[in-house]
PDB file of all heavy atoms in Angstrom:
ATOM      1  N   PRO F  55    -143.553  39.344 -48.692  1.00 90.00           N
ATOM      2  CA  PRO F  55    -144.123  40.313 -49.611  1.00 90.00           C
ATOM      3  C   PRO F  55    -143.163  40.610 -50.784  1.00 90.00           C
ATOM      4  O   PRO F  55    -141.958  40.622 -50.635  1.00 90.00           O
ATOM      5  CB  PRO F  55    -144.330  41.543 -48.759  1.00 90.00           C
ATOM      6  CG  PRO F  55    -144.433  41.019 -47.389  1.00 90.00           C
ATOM      7  CD  PRO F  55    -143.530  39.791 -47.318  1.00 90.00           C
ATOM      8  N   PHE F  56    -143.788  40.866 -51.931  1.00 87.00           N
ATOM      9  CA  PHE F  56    -142.997  41.042 -53.144  1.00 87.00           C
ATOM     10  C   PHE F  56    -141.976  42.150 -53.050  1.00 87.00           C
ATOM     11  O   PHE F  56    -140.870  42.064 -53.586  1.00 87.00           O
ATOM     12  CB  PHE F  56    -143.930  41.301 -54.315  1.00 87.00           C
ATOM     13  CG  PHE F  56    -143.219  41.345 -55.627  1.00 87.00           C
ATOM     14  CD1 PHE F  56    -142.744  40.174 -56.246  1.00 87.00           C
ATOM     15  CD2 PHE F  56    -143.009  42.582 -56.277  1.00 87.00           C
ATOM     16  CE1 PHE F  56    -142.110  40.233 -57.464  1.00 87.00           C
ATOM     17  CE2 PHE F  56    -142.343  42.618 -57.466  1.00 87.00           C
ATOM     18  CZ  PHE F  56    -141.887  41.464 -58.067  1.00 87.00           C
ATOM     19  N   ALA F  57    -142.257  43.201 -52.295  1.00 87.00           N
ATOM     20  CA  ALA F  57    -141.364  44.325 -52.184  1.00 87.00           C
ATOM     21  C   ALA F  57    -140.072  43.935 -51.442  1.00 87.00           C
ATOM     22  O   ALA F  57    -139.044  44.581 -51.638  1.00 87.00           O
ATOM     23  CB  ALA F  57    -142.043  45.471 -51.457  1.00 87.00           C
ATOM     24  N   TYR F  58    -140.138  42.904 -50.569  1.00 86.00           N
ATOM     25  CA  TYR F  58    -138.958  42.499 -49.791  1.00 86.00           C
ATOM     26  C   TYR F  58    -138.217  41.281 -50.357  1.00 86.00           C
ATOM     27  O   TYR F  58    -137.196  40.890 -49.793  1.00 86.00           O
ATOM     28  CB  TYR F  58    -139.381  42.197 -48.358  1.00 86.00           C
ATOM     29  CG  TYR F  58    -140.025  43.368 -47.678  1.00 86.00           C
ATOM     30  CD1 TYR F  58    -141.333  43.319 -47.254  1.00 86.00           C
ATOM     31  CD2 TYR F  58    -139.281  44.537 -47.486  1.00 86.00           C
ATOM     32  CE1 TYR F  58    -141.902  44.402 -46.642  1.00 86.00           C
ATOM     33  CE2 TYR F  58    -139.867  45.604 -46.860  1.00 86.00           C
ATOM     34  CZ  TYR F  58    -141.188  45.555 -46.440  1.00 86.00           C
ATOM     35  OH  TYR F  58    -141.749  46.648 -45.833  1.00 86.00           O
ATOM     36  N   ARG F  59    -138.708  40.741 -51.443  1.00 89.00           N
ATOM     37  CA  ARG F  59    -138.052  39.573 -52.047  1.00 89.00           C
ATOM     38  C   ARG F  59    -136.818  39.986 -52.847  1.00 89.00           C
ATOM     39  O   ARG F  59    -136.716  41.116 -53.307  1.00 89.00           O
ATOM     40  CB  ARG F  59    -138.994  38.841 -53.015  1.00 89.00           C
ATOM     41  CG  ARG F  59    -140.047  38.049 -52.295  1.00 89.00           C
ATOM     42  CD  ARG F  59    -140.786  37.197 -53.286  1.00 89.00           C
ATOM     43  NE  ARG F  59    -142.081  36.863 -52.754  1.00 89.00           N
ATOM     44  CZ  ARG F  59    -143.120  36.436 -53.484  1.00 89.00           C
ATOM     45  NH1 ARG F  59    -142.951  36.247 -54.790  1.00 89.00           N
ATOM     46  NH2 ARG F  59    -144.244  36.171 -52.891  1.00 89.00           N
ATOM     47  N   VAL F  60    -135.957  39.011 -53.043  1.00 91.00           N
ATOM     48  CA  VAL F  60    -134.776  39.251 -53.873  1.00 91.00           C
ATOM     49  C   VAL F  60    -135.178  39.092 -55.332  1.00 91.00           C
ATOM     50  O   VAL F  60    -135.754  38.073 -55.702  1.00 91.00           O
ATOM     51  CB  VAL F  60    -133.658  38.219 -53.511  1.00 91.00           C
ATOM     52  CG1 VAL F  60    -132.461  38.406 -54.380  1.00 91.00           C
ATOM     53  CG2 VAL F  60    -133.297  38.338 -52.028  1.00 91.00           C
ATOM     54  N   PRO F  61    -134.840  40.068 -56.183  1.00 91.00           N
ATOM     55  CA  PRO F  61    -135.184  39.921 -57.612  1.00 91.00           C
ATOM     56  C   PRO F  61    -134.471  38.730 -58.232  1.00 91.00           C
ATOM     57  O   PRO F  61    -133.353  38.336 -57.796  1.00 91.00           O
ATOM     58  CB  PRO F  61    -134.677  41.237 -58.205  1.00 91.00           C
ATOM     59  CG  PRO F  61    -134.480  42.171 -57.093  1.00 91.00           C
ATOM     60  CD  PRO F  61    -134.215  41.349 -55.878  1.00 91.00           C
ATOM     61  N   GLU F  62    -135.033  38.136 -59.243  1.00 90.00           N
ATOM     62  CA  GLU F  62    -134.454  36.973 -59.893  1.00 90.00           C
ATOM     63  C   GLU F  62    -133.055  37.277 -60.443  1.00 90.00           C
ATOM     64  O   GLU F  62    -132.205  36.396 -60.417  1.00 90.00           O
ATOM     65  CB  GLU F  62    -135.382  36.477 -61.018  1.00 90.00           C
ATOM     66  CG  GLU F  62    -136.540  35.665 -60.538  1.00 90.00           C
ATOM     67  CD  GLU F  62    -136.146  34.394 -59.851  1.00 90.00           C
ATOM     68  OE1 GLU F  62    -135.188  33.717 -60.303  1.00 90.00           O
ATOM     69  OE2 GLU F  62    -136.811  34.048 -58.854  1.00 90.00           O
ATOM     70  N   GLU F  63    -132.860  38.463 -60.979  1.00 94.00           N
ATOM     71  CA  GLU F  63    -131.587  38.824 -61.579  1.00 94.00           C
ATOM     72  C   GLU F  63    -130.455  38.841 -60.524  1.00 94.00           C
ATOM     73  O   GLU F  63    -129.311  38.588 -60.836  1.00 94.00           O
ATOM     74  CB  GLU F  63    -131.605  40.171 -62.264  1.00 94.00           C
ATOM     75  CG  GLU F  63    -132.784  40.446 -63.195  1.00 94.00           C
ATOM     76  CD  GLU F  63    -133.989  40.922 -62.465  1.00 94.00           C
ATOM     77  OE1 GLU F  63    -133.932  41.851 -61.677  1.00 94.00           O
ATOM     78  OE2 GLU F  63    -135.066  40.326 -62.769  1.00 94.00           O
ATOM     79  N   ALA F  64    -130.805  39.194 -59.297  1.00 92.00           N
ATOM     80  CA  ALA F  64    -129.790  39.371 -58.288  1.00 92.00           C
ATOM     81  C   ALA F  64    -129.692  38.160 -57.324  1.00 92.00           C
ATOM     82  O   ALA F  64    -128.930  38.232 -56.373  1.00 92.00           O
ATOM     83  CB  ALA F  64    -130.071  40.644 -57.498  1.00 92.00           C
ATOM     84  N   LYS F  65    -130.433  37.145 -57.614  1.00 93.00           N
ATOM     85  CA  LYS F  65    -130.500  36.018 -56.670  1.00 93.00           C
ATOM     86  C   LYS F  65    -129.136  35.325 -56.476  1.00 93.00           C
ATOM     87  O   LYS F  65    -128.742  34.977 -55.344  1.00 93.00           O
ATOM     88  CB  LYS F  65    -131.537  35.006 -57.090  1.00 93.00           C
ATOM     89  CG  LYS F  65    -131.966  34.106 -55.973  1.00 93.00           C
ATOM     90  CD  LYS F  65    -133.130  33.208 -56.396  1.00 93.00           C
ATOM     91  CE  LYS F  65    -134.375  34.018 -56.218  1.00 93.00           C
ATOM     92  NZ  LYS F  65    -135.623  33.194 -56.361  1.00 93.00           N
ATOM     93  N   SER F  66    -128.403  35.123 -57.553  1.00 94.00           N
ATOM     94  CA  SER F  66    -127.133  34.412 -57.423  1.00 94.00           C
ATOM     95  C   SER F  66    -126.093  35.272 -56.672  1.00 94.00           C
ATOM     96  O   SER F  66    -125.414  34.743 -55.779  1.00 94.00           O
ATOM     97  CB  SER F  66    -126.599  34.050 -58.768  1.00 94.00           C
ATOM     98  OG  SER F  66    -126.347  35.200 -59.588  1.00 94.00           O
ATOM     99  N   SER F  67    -126.025  36.571 -56.953  1.00 95.00           N
ATOM    100  CA  SER F  67    -125.096  37.408 -56.216  1.00 95.00           C
ATOM    101  C   SER F  67    -125.522  37.543 -54.755  1.00 95.00           C
ATOM    102  O   SER F  67    -124.664  37.574 -53.834  1.00 95.00           O
ATOM    103  CB  SER F  67    -124.935  38.787 -56.896  1.00 95.00           C
ATOM    104  OG  SER F  67    -126.164  39.474 -56.873  1.00 95.00           O
ATOM    105  N   PHE F  68    -126.798  37.604 -54.500  1.00 93.00           N
ATOM    106  CA  PHE F  68    -127.337  37.668 -53.129  1.00 93.00           C
ATOM    107  C   PHE F  68    -126.901  36.431 -52.348  1.00 93.00           C
ATOM    108  O   PHE F  68    -126.412  36.552 -51.226  1.00 93.00           O
ATOM    109  CB  PHE F  68    -128.881  37.772 -53.161  1.00 93.00           C
ATOM    110  CG  PHE F  68    -129.531  37.574 -51.855  1.00 93.00           C
ATOM    111  CD1 PHE F  68    -129.584  38.608 -50.949  1.00 93.00           C
ATOM    112  CD2 PHE F  68    -130.101  36.370 -51.508  1.00 93.00           C
ATOM    113  CE1 PHE F  68    -130.172  38.438 -49.702  1.00 93.00           C
ATOM    114  CE2 PHE F  68    -130.701  36.171 -50.302  1.00 93.00           C
ATOM    115  CZ  PHE F  68    -130.747  37.220 -49.388  1.00 93.00           C
ATOM    116  N   LEU F  69    -127.059  35.272 -52.954  1.00 93.00           N
ATOM    117  CA  LEU F  69    -126.698  34.038 -52.258  1.00 93.00           C
ATOM    118  C   LEU F  69    -125.185  33.946 -52.028  1.00 93.00           C
ATOM    119  O   LEU F  69    -124.757  33.568 -50.938  1.00 93.00           O
ATOM    120  CB  LEU F  69    -127.157  32.821 -53.060  1.00 93.00           C
ATOM    121  CG  LEU F  69    -128.652  32.552 -52.989  1.00 93.00           C
ATOM    122  CD1 LEU F  69    -129.061  31.472 -53.948  1.00 93.00           C
ATOM    123  CD2 LEU F  69    -129.058  32.186 -51.566  1.00 93.00           C
ATOM    124  N   ILE F  70    -124.357  34.306 -53.009  1.00 95.00           N
ATOM    125  CA  ILE F  70    -122.934  34.234 -52.857  1.00 95.00           C
ATOM    126  C   ILE F  70    -122.438  35.171 -51.765  1.00 95.00           C
ATOM    127  O   ILE F  70    -121.677  34.785 -50.885  1.00 95.00           O
ATOM    128  CB  ILE F  70    -122.226  34.554 -54.207  1.00 95.00           C
ATOM    129  CG1 ILE F  70    -122.453  33.427 -55.207  1.00 95.00           C
ATOM    130  CG2 ILE F  70    -120.723  34.808 -54.010  1.00 95.00           C
ATOM    131  CD1 ILE F  70    -122.047  33.727 -56.623  1.00 95.00           C
ATOM    132  N   ILE F  71    -122.905  36.426 -51.805  1.00 94.00           N
ATOM    133  CA  ILE F  71    -122.449  37.385 -50.776  1.00 94.00           C
ATOM    134  C   ILE F  71    -122.872  36.974 -49.380  1.00 94.00           C
ATOM    135  O   ILE F  71    -122.096  37.031 -48.451  1.00 94.00           O
ATOM    136  CB  ILE F  71    -123.015  38.791 -51.147  1.00 94.00           C
ATOM    137  CG1 ILE F  71    -122.319  39.330 -52.402  1.00 94.00           C
ATOM    138  CG2 ILE F  71    -122.805  39.774 -49.974  1.00 94.00           C
ATOM    139  CD1 ILE F  71    -122.921  40.576 -52.962  1.00 94.00           C
ATOM    140  N   ASN F  72    -124.089  36.528 -49.242  1.00 91.00           N
ATOM    141  CA  ASN F  72    -124.573  36.141 -47.919  1.00 91.00           C
ATOM    142  C   ASN F  72    -123.990  34.841 -47.419  1.00 91.00           C
ATOM    143  O   ASN F  72    -123.768  34.691 -46.225  1.00 91.00           O
ATOM    144  CB  ASN F  72    -126.118  36.070 -47.906  1.00 91.00           C
ATOM    145  CG  ASN F  72    -126.722  37.420 -47.801  1.00 91.00           C
ATOM    146  OD1 ASN F  72    -126.643  38.095 -46.793  1.00 91.00           O
ATOM    147  ND2 ASN F  72    -127.315  37.921 -48.892  1.00 91.00           N
ATOM    148  N   MET F  73    -123.660  33.931 -48.309  1.00 93.00           N
ATOM    149  CA  MET F  73    -123.008  32.704 -47.890  1.00 93.00           C
ATOM    150  C   MET F  73    -121.579  32.996 -47.456  1.00 93.00           C
ATOM    151  O   MET F  73    -121.088  32.451 -46.463  1.00 93.00           O
ATOM    152  CB  MET F  73    -123.023  31.653 -49.023  1.00 93.00           C
ATOM    153  CG  MET F  73    -124.418  31.141 -49.337  1.00 93.00           C
ATOM    154  SD  MET F  73    -125.210  30.363 -47.941  1.00 93.00           S
ATOM    155  CE  MET F  73    -124.508  28.757 -48.074  1.00 93.00           C
ATOM    156  N   VAL F  74    -120.868  33.835 -48.190  1.00 94.00           N
ATOM    157  CA  VAL F  74    -119.523  34.214 -47.786  1.00 94.00           C
ATOM    158  C   VAL F  74    -119.548  34.935 -46.448  1.00 94.00           C
ATOM    159  O   VAL F  74    -118.707  34.661 -45.550  1.00 94.00           O
ATOM    160  CB  VAL F  74    -118.858  35.100 -48.879  1.00 94.00           C
ATOM    161  CG1 VAL F  74    -117.602  35.774 -48.363  1.00 94.00           C
ATOM    162  CG2 VAL F  74    -118.547  34.302 -50.105  1.00 94.00           C
ATOM    163  N   TYR F  75    -120.526  35.815 -46.251  1.00 90.00           N
ATOM    164  CA  TYR F  75    -120.638  36.528 -44.990  1.00 90.00           C
ATOM    165  C   TYR F  75    -120.938  35.602 -43.854  1.00 90.00           C
ATOM    166  O   TYR F  75    -120.608  35.859 -42.705  1.00 90.00           O
ATOM    167  CB  TYR F  75    -121.703  37.617 -45.116  1.00 90.00           C
ATOM    168  CG  TYR F  75    -121.735  38.579 -43.924  1.00 90.00           C
ATOM    169  CD1 TYR F  75    -120.618  39.363 -43.631  1.00 90.00           C
ATOM    170  CD2 TYR F  75    -122.836  38.679 -43.141  1.00 90.00           C
ATOM    171  CE1 TYR F  75    -120.620  40.226 -42.561  1.00 90.00           C
ATOM    172  CE2 TYR F  75    -122.847  39.564 -42.046  1.00 90.00           C
ATOM    173  CZ  TYR F  75    -121.757  40.332 -41.773  1.00 90.00           C
ATOM    174  OH  TYR F  75    -121.765  41.196 -40.735  1.00 90.00           O
TER     175      TYR F  75
END
Side-chain angles (χ1 to χ4, degrees):
F56 186 73
Y58 300 117
R59 284 190 205 163
V60 178
E62 281 297 321
E63 311 84 50
K65 198 173 277 191
S66 61
S67 62
F68 169 80
L69 286 172
I70 290 170
I71 291 169
N72 282 290
M73 293 299 277
V74 166
Y75 191 60

